[in-house]
Amino acid sequence: MSKKNLVVIFGGKSSEHEVSCISVVTVAKAINKDTYNMTLVGITKEGSWLSVGSGEDIVSGDWRNSKKAAVLSPDATKKELLILEDNSIEKLRVDVIFPVLHGLNGEDGTIQGLFELADIPYVGCGVLASAVSMDKLYTKIIVDVLGINQATYVPVMRDELTDMAEVVASIEAKLNYPVFVKPSNAGSSKGVSKATNSQELETALHYAAVEDSKILVEETIVGRELECAVFGGKDIQASGIGEVVAAADFYDYDAKYNNAESKTVIGPELPEGKEEEIRQAARAIFRAVDGFGLSRVDFFLEKDTNRVVFNEINTLPGFTSISMYPMLWKAQGWDIETLIENLIQLAFKR
């Protein structure tokens, strides 16, 4: 049986570029080289698409010096990746794509639209699920319909910040301090901060506005941070539960990737019935956003009340050594090689 041509895309213009470059090394190592001819394509922070020689080039950072440009043709009759070097063009027929991209232009439906135009199977959620799940505000609007608990929130548009006093007053009329301020479109907790007074709120709003034109201000939910991995298409499987124990005041980008004292716990002890409640809610949210392939759904278990409160859904979760998604499936009996193969097979089924 002939090998399939698999293109793995990583990097990107988003604030999560570096995380993607770590995740892709894990994914690339786990791909069965007896089944697939793997081609790596890196997208620089400036947006250049480059053909990358090896995982070692990614680890060293040398891939950014590649002289080979890569272009994915949107022509559905061709299904080709064009590799350009000097005056030569190599045409590679593509059977399937694995995007290991986090954040804007990778997890928000934009590149998925290109895959759809090219009519090439790809791993992960489609255009709609990617777009609405990347946008925290629209995710909340969808989850409101499901009747699943979530933090009370106030949306703010960047152009409203010209009248900061009015914005702060409107937030303070609806929410008590402390509050969390988040860009509506950003991942890995980029641009997220906590405000305990009006001055900190102003600073936090400006900080979030750097990442996105839509900002979400939420009440603080005090409780445990719990995560559930989902997998599938028509039949959605939910993993067990993982708990995030943040070293910092909250699990921001630095606490997640730069603080060794932050840790994850697989299979934490929970009050009776809460694990199944979280798993059911994760499946319901994944279905409601039209999810496909994979997602990680995050919740709080509120202190004192034990309410399960939805936080957010990530349609292309990390595959780093500390990432919850692969660890949760490993606890279910899927090693990383099995997980990656199962995700690729789902892409073909779609």
Side-chain angles (χ1 to χ4, degrees), residues 6-69:
L6 166 69
V7 172
V8 179
I9 304 178
F10 69 95
K13 294 174 67 178
S14 86
S15 56
E16 295 183 86
H17 177 96
E18 287 79 10
V19 181
S20 171
C21 292
I22 299 170
S23 289
V24 72
V25 174
T26 302
V27 172
K29 286 180 180 177
I31 288 169
N32 188 334
K33 308 306 187 296
D34 293 329
T35 305
Y36 304 102
N37 293 311
M38 181 181 68
T39 300
L40 294 166
V41 173
I43 303 174
T44 68
K45 288 184 177 181
E46 296 73 33
S48 295
W49 287 47
L50 303 174
S51 177
V52 178
S54 67
E56 288 76 15
D57 291 337
I58 301 172
V59 174
S60 67
D62 288 345
W63 69 270
R64 296 178 181 87
N65 301 319
S66 172
K67 302 301 182 184
K68 295 183 178 181

Side-chain angles (χ1 to χ4, degrees), residues 29 49 52 59 89-90 104 151 155 166 172 200 236 305 317 337:
K29 286 180 180 177
W49 287 47
V52 178
V59 174
I89 300 176
E90 177 188 353
L104 295 176
E166 183 177 339
E172 292 178 337
E200 289 180 0
I236 302 168
T305 68
E337 291 81 9

